[in-house]
PDB file of all heavy atoms in Angstrom:
ATOM      1  N   LEU A  38      68.075  -9.286  52.437  1.00  0.00           N
ATOM      2  CA  LEU A  38      69.365  -9.994  52.374  1.00  0.00           C
ATOM      3  C   LEU A  38      70.052  -9.954  53.735  1.00  0.00           C
ATOM      4  O   LEU A  38      70.517 -10.981  54.246  1.00  0.00           O
ATOM      5  CB  LEU A  38      70.271  -9.362  51.318  1.00  0.00           C
ATOM      6  CG  LEU A  38      69.962  -9.699  49.866  1.00  0.00           C
ATOM      7  CD1 LEU A  38      70.676  -8.734  48.928  1.00  0.00           C
ATOM      8  CD2 LEU A  38      70.351 -11.123  49.547  1.00  0.00           C
ATOM      9  N   SER A  39      70.102  -8.780  54.330  1.00  0.00           N
ATOM     10  CA  SER A  39      70.755  -8.615  55.631  1.00  0.00           C
ATOM     11  C   SER A  39      70.008  -9.365  56.740  1.00  0.00           C
ATOM     12  O   SER A  39      70.635 -10.003  57.595  1.00  0.00           O
ATOM     13  CB  SER A  39      70.840  -7.122  55.970  1.00  0.00           C
ATOM     14  OG  SER A  39      71.431  -6.942  57.222  1.00  0.00           O
ATOM     15  N   ILE A  40      68.700  -9.298  56.717  1.00  0.00           N
ATOM     16  CA  ILE A  40      67.888  -9.973  57.740  1.00  0.00           C
ATOM     17  C   ILE A  40      68.094 -11.485  57.674  1.00  0.00           C
ATOM     18  O   ILE A  40      68.291 -12.147  58.697  1.00  0.00           O
ATOM     19  CB  ILE A  40      66.395  -9.610  57.595  1.00  0.00           C
ATOM     20  CG1 ILE A  40      66.184  -8.130  57.918  1.00  0.00           C
ATOM     21  CG2 ILE A  40      65.521 -10.507  58.479  1.00  0.00           C
ATOM     22  CD1 ILE A  40      64.806  -7.594  57.535  1.00  0.00           C
ATOM     23  N   VAL A  41      68.062 -12.043  56.464  1.00  0.00           N
ATOM     24  CA  VAL A  41      68.253 -13.489  56.298  1.00  0.00           C
ATOM     25  C   VAL A  41      69.649 -13.891  56.774  1.00  0.00           C
ATOM     26  O   VAL A  41      69.807 -14.897  57.470  1.00  0.00           O
ATOM     27  CB  VAL A  41      67.994 -13.924  54.835  1.00  0.00           C
ATOM     28  CG1 VAL A  41      68.439 -15.364  54.599  1.00  0.00           C
ATOM     29  CG2 VAL A  41      66.519 -13.754  54.494  1.00  0.00           C
ATOM     30  N   ALA A  42      70.658 -13.097  56.450  1.00  0.00           N
ATOM     31  CA  ALA A  42      72.016 -13.403  56.912  1.00  0.00           C
ATOM     32  C   ALA A  42      72.087 -13.363  58.438  1.00  0.00           C
ATOM     33  O   ALA A  42      72.743 -14.213  59.052  1.00  0.00           O
ATOM     34  CB  ALA A  42      73.017 -12.421  56.302  1.00  0.00           C
ATOM     35  N   ASP A  43      71.414 -12.395  59.053  1.00  0.00           N
ATOM     36  CA  ASP A  43      71.383 -12.322  60.519  1.00  0.00           C
ATOM     37  C   ASP A  43      70.770 -13.582  61.124  1.00  0.00           C
ATOM     38  O   ASP A  43      71.294 -14.139  62.089  1.00  0.00           O
ATOM     39  CB  ASP A  43      70.569 -11.107  60.996  1.00  0.00           C
ATOM     40  CG  ASP A  43      71.302  -9.792  60.826  1.00  0.00           C
ATOM     41  OD1 ASP A  43      72.544  -9.795  60.694  1.00  0.00           O
ATOM     42  OD2 ASP A  43      70.613  -8.746  60.826  1.00  0.00           O
ATOM     43  N   ILE A  44      69.661 -14.032  60.541  1.00  0.00           N
ATOM     44  CA  ILE A  44      68.978 -15.236  61.035  1.00  0.00           C
ATOM     45  C   ILE A  44      69.881 -16.454  60.850  1.00  0.00           C
ATOM     46  O   ILE A  44      70.001 -17.298  61.747  1.00  0.00           O
ATOM     47  CB  ILE A  44      67.629 -15.452  60.312  1.00  0.00           C
ATOM     48  CG1 ILE A  44      66.683 -14.270  60.542  1.00  0.00           C
ATOM     49  CG2 ILE A  44      66.983 -16.775  60.738  1.00  0.00           C
ATOM     50  CD1 ILE A  44      66.411 -13.906  61.970  1.00  0.00           C
ATOM     51  N   MET A  45      70.520 -16.559  59.693  1.00  0.00           N
ATOM     52  CA  MET A  45      71.418 -17.692  59.442  1.00  0.00           C
ATOM     53  C   MET A  45      72.555 -17.723  60.452  1.00  0.00           C
ATOM     54  O   MET A  45      72.926 -18.791  60.937  1.00  0.00           O
ATOM     55  CB  MET A  45      71.976 -17.620  58.020  1.00  0.00           C
ATOM     56  CG  MET A  45      70.958 -17.907  56.937  1.00  0.00           C
ATOM     57  SD  MET A  45      71.605 -17.629  55.273  1.00  0.00           S
ATOM     58  CE  MET A  45      72.786 -18.988  55.146  1.00  0.00           C
ATOM     59  N   GLN A  46      73.097 -16.570  60.776  1.00  0.00           N
ATOM     60  CA  GLN A  46      74.194 -16.524  61.738  1.00  0.00           C
ATOM     61  C   GLN A  46      73.713 -16.842  63.148  1.00  0.00           C
ATOM     62  O   GLN A  46      74.402 -17.510  63.913  1.00  0.00           O
ATOM     63  CB  GLN A  46      74.893 -15.170  61.674  1.00  0.00           C
ATOM     64  CG  GLN A  46      75.690 -15.023  60.396  1.00  0.00           C
ATOM     65  CD  GLN A  46      76.355 -13.680  60.239  1.00  0.00           C
ATOM     66  OE1 GLN A  46      75.992 -12.696  60.860  1.00  0.00           O
ATOM     67  NE2 GLN A  46      77.358 -13.634  59.371  1.00  0.00           N
ATOM     68  N   LYS A  47      72.532 -16.386  63.498  1.00  0.00           N
ATOM     69  CA  LYS A  47      71.989 -16.643  64.840  1.00  0.00           C
ATOM     70  C   LYS A  47      71.609 -18.119  65.003  1.00  0.00           C
ATOM     71  O   LYS A  47      71.777 -18.701  66.071  1.00  0.00           O
ATOM     72  CB  LYS A  47      70.762 -15.749  65.074  1.00  0.00           C
ATOM     73  CG  LYS A  47      70.042 -15.971  66.364  1.00  0.00           C
ATOM     74  CD  LYS A  47      70.794 -15.431  67.540  1.00  0.00           C
ATOM     75  CE  LYS A  47      69.973 -15.584  68.807  1.00  0.00           C
ATOM     76  NZ  LYS A  47      70.721 -15.275  69.989  1.00  0.00           N
ATOM     77  N   GLN A  48      71.098 -18.724  63.950  1.00  0.00           N
ATOM     78  CA  GLN A  48      70.618 -20.118  63.999  1.00  0.00           C
ATOM     79  C   GLN A  48      71.510 -21.022  63.146  1.00  0.00           C
ATOM     80  O   GLN A  48      71.030 -21.865  62.396  1.00  0.00           O
ATOM     81  CB  GLN A  48      69.171 -20.175  63.499  1.00  0.00           C
ATOM     82  CG  GLN A  48      68.189 -19.394  64.327  1.00  0.00           C
ATOM     83  CD  GLN A  48      67.994 -19.992  65.712  1.00  0.00           C
ATOM     84  OE1 GLN A  48      68.323 -21.154  65.950  1.00  0.00           O
ATOM     85  NE2 GLN A  48      67.456 -19.216  66.623  1.00  0.00           N
ATOM     86  N   VAL A  49      72.806 -20.861  63.277  1.00  0.00           N
ATOM     87  CA  VAL A  49      73.757 -21.570  62.428  1.00  0.00           C
ATOM     88  C   VAL A  49      73.673 -23.091  62.581  1.00  0.00           C
ATOM     89  O   VAL A  49      74.017 -23.833  61.670  1.00  0.00           O
ATOM     90  CB  VAL A  49      75.198 -21.050  62.655  1.00  0.00           C
ATOM     91  CG1 VAL A  49      75.743 -21.528  63.992  1.00  0.00           C
ATOM     92  CG2 VAL A  49      76.111 -21.432  61.513  1.00  0.00           C
ATOM     93  N   ARG A  50      73.179 -23.575  63.681  1.00  0.00           N
ATOM     94  CA  ARG A  50      73.108 -25.033  63.917  1.00  0.00           C
ATOM     95  C   ARG A  50      71.880 -25.691  63.286  1.00  0.00           C
ATOM     96  O   ARG A  50      71.765 -26.910  63.284  1.00  0.00           O
ATOM     97  CB  ARG A  50      73.108 -25.320  65.427  1.00  0.00           C
ATOM     98  CG  ARG A  50      74.402 -24.929  66.088  1.00  0.00           C
ATOM     99  CD  ARG A  50      75.461 -25.961  65.821  1.00  0.00           C
ATOM    100  NE  ARG A  50      76.762 -25.509  66.274  1.00  0.00           N
ATOM    101  CZ  ARG A  50      77.874 -25.692  65.594  1.00  0.00           C
ATOM    102  NH1 ARG A  50      77.858 -26.333  64.457  1.00  0.00           N
ATOM    103  NH2 ARG A  50      79.021 -25.251  66.049  1.00  0.00           N
ATOM    104  N   ASN A  51      70.965 -24.899  62.724  1.00  0.00           N
ATOM    105  CA  ASN A  51      69.752 -25.460  62.139  1.00  0.00           C
ATOM    106  C   ASN A  51      69.938 -25.625  60.627  1.00  0.00           C
ATOM    107  O   ASN A  51      70.006 -24.634  59.905  1.00  0.00           O
ATOM    108  CB  ASN A  51      68.554 -24.565  62.441  1.00  0.00           C
ATOM    109  CG  ASN A  51      67.261 -25.176  61.967  1.00  0.00           C
ATOM    110  OD1 ASN A  51      67.053 -25.343  60.780  1.00  0.00           O
ATOM    111  ND2 ASN A  51      66.402 -25.516  62.910  1.00  0.00           N
ATOM    112  N   PRO A  52      69.993 -26.864  60.129  1.00  0.00           N
ATOM    113  CA  PRO A  52      70.254 -27.067  58.705  1.00  0.00           C
ATOM    114  C   PRO A  52      69.145 -26.546  57.790  1.00  0.00           C
ATOM    115  O   PRO A  52      69.431 -26.092  56.677  1.00  0.00           O
ATOM    116  CB  PRO A  52      70.422 -28.580  58.574  1.00  0.00           C
ATOM    117  CG  PRO A  52      69.746 -29.156  59.766  1.00  0.00           C
ATOM    118  CD  PRO A  52      69.849 -28.129  60.847  1.00  0.00           C
ATOM    119  N   THR A  53      67.903 -26.581  58.250  1.00  0.00           N
ATOM    120  CA  THR A  53      66.807 -26.063  57.426  1.00  0.00           C
ATOM    121  C   THR A  53      66.954 -24.562  57.239  1.00  0.00           C
ATOM    122  O   THR A  53      66.804 -24.048  56.126  1.00  0.00           O
ATOM    123  CB  THR A  53      65.438 -26.394  58.065  1.00  0.00           C
ATOM    124  OG1 THR A  53      65.334 -27.811  58.207  1.00  0.00           O
ATOM    125  CG2 THR A  53      64.286 -25.878  57.224  1.00  0.00           C
ATOM    126  N   ILE A  54      67.267 -23.862  58.309  1.00  0.00           N
ATOM    127  CA  ILE A  54      67.471 -22.414  58.212  1.00  0.00           C
ATOM    128  C   ILE A  54      68.650 -22.112  57.301  1.00  0.00           C
ATOM    129  O   ILE A  54      68.604 -21.181  56.490  1.00  0.00           O
ATOM    130  CB  ILE A  54      67.643 -21.795  59.618  1.00  0.00           C
ATOM    131  CG1 ILE A  54      66.288 -21.806  60.336  1.00  0.00           C
ATOM    132  CG2 ILE A  54      68.228 -20.391  59.547  1.00  0.00           C
ATOM    133  CD1 ILE A  54      66.322 -21.349  61.767  1.00  0.00           C
ATOM    134  N   GLN A  55      69.701 -22.915  57.374  1.00  0.00           N
ATOM    135  CA  GLN A  55      70.869 -22.682  56.521  1.00  0.00           C
ATOM    136  C   GLN A  55      70.540 -22.907  55.045  1.00  0.00           C
ATOM    137  O   GLN A  55      70.864 -22.068  54.197  1.00  0.00           O
ATOM    138  CB  GLN A  55      72.040 -23.558  56.957  1.00  0.00           C
ATOM    139  CG  GLN A  55      72.549 -23.265  58.344  1.00  0.00           C
ATOM    140  CD  GLN A  55      72.857 -21.801  58.566  1.00  0.00           C
ATOM    141  OE1 GLN A  55      73.627 -21.205  57.829  1.00  0.00           O
ATOM    142  NE2 GLN A  55      72.244 -21.199  59.570  1.00  0.00           N
ATOM    143  N   SER A  56      69.906 -24.008  54.723  1.00  0.00           N
ATOM    144  CA  SER A  56      69.632 -24.288  53.312  1.00  0.00           C
ATOM    145  C   SER A  56      68.588 -23.325  52.748  1.00  0.00           C
ATOM    146  O   SER A  56      68.759 -22.805  51.636  1.00  0.00           O
ATOM    147  CB  SER A  56      69.218 -25.746  53.096  1.00  0.00           C
ATOM    148  OG  SER A  56      68.067 -26.060  53.820  1.00  0.00           O
ATOM    149  N   GLU A  57      67.527 -23.046  53.503  1.00  0.00           N
ATOM    150  CA  GLU A  57      66.509 -22.098  53.040  1.00  0.00           C
ATOM    151  C   GLU A  57      67.111 -20.700  52.895  1.00  0.00           C
ATOM    152  O   GLU A  57      66.841 -20.002  51.920  1.00  0.00           O
ATOM    153  CB  GLU A  57      65.322 -22.050  54.013  1.00  0.00           C
ATOM    154  CG  GLU A  57      64.567 -23.355  54.139  1.00  0.00           C
ATOM    155  CD  GLU A  57      63.672 -23.639  52.961  1.00  0.00           C
ATOM    156  OE1 GLU A  57      62.558 -23.117  52.920  1.00  0.00           O
ATOM    157  OE2 GLU A  57      64.112 -24.400  52.064  1.00  0.00           O
ATOM    158  N   GLY A  58      67.913 -20.314  53.873  1.00  0.00           N
ATOM    159  CA  GLY A  58      68.554 -19.001  53.825  1.00  0.00           C
ATOM    160  C   GLY A  58      69.444 -18.853  52.609  1.00  0.00           C
ATOM    161  O   GLY A  58      69.439 -17.812  51.942  1.00  0.00           O
TER     162      GLY A  58
END
Side-chain angles (χ1 to χ4, degrees):
L38 283 165
S39 179
I40 293 168
V41 169
D43 285 340
I44 299 305
M45 289 173 69
Q46 289 177 340
K47 176 74 176 171
Q48 298 292 342
V49 73
R50 294 282 171 221
N51 185 294
T53 302
I54 288 175
Q55 297 308 305
S56 60
E57 297 284 278

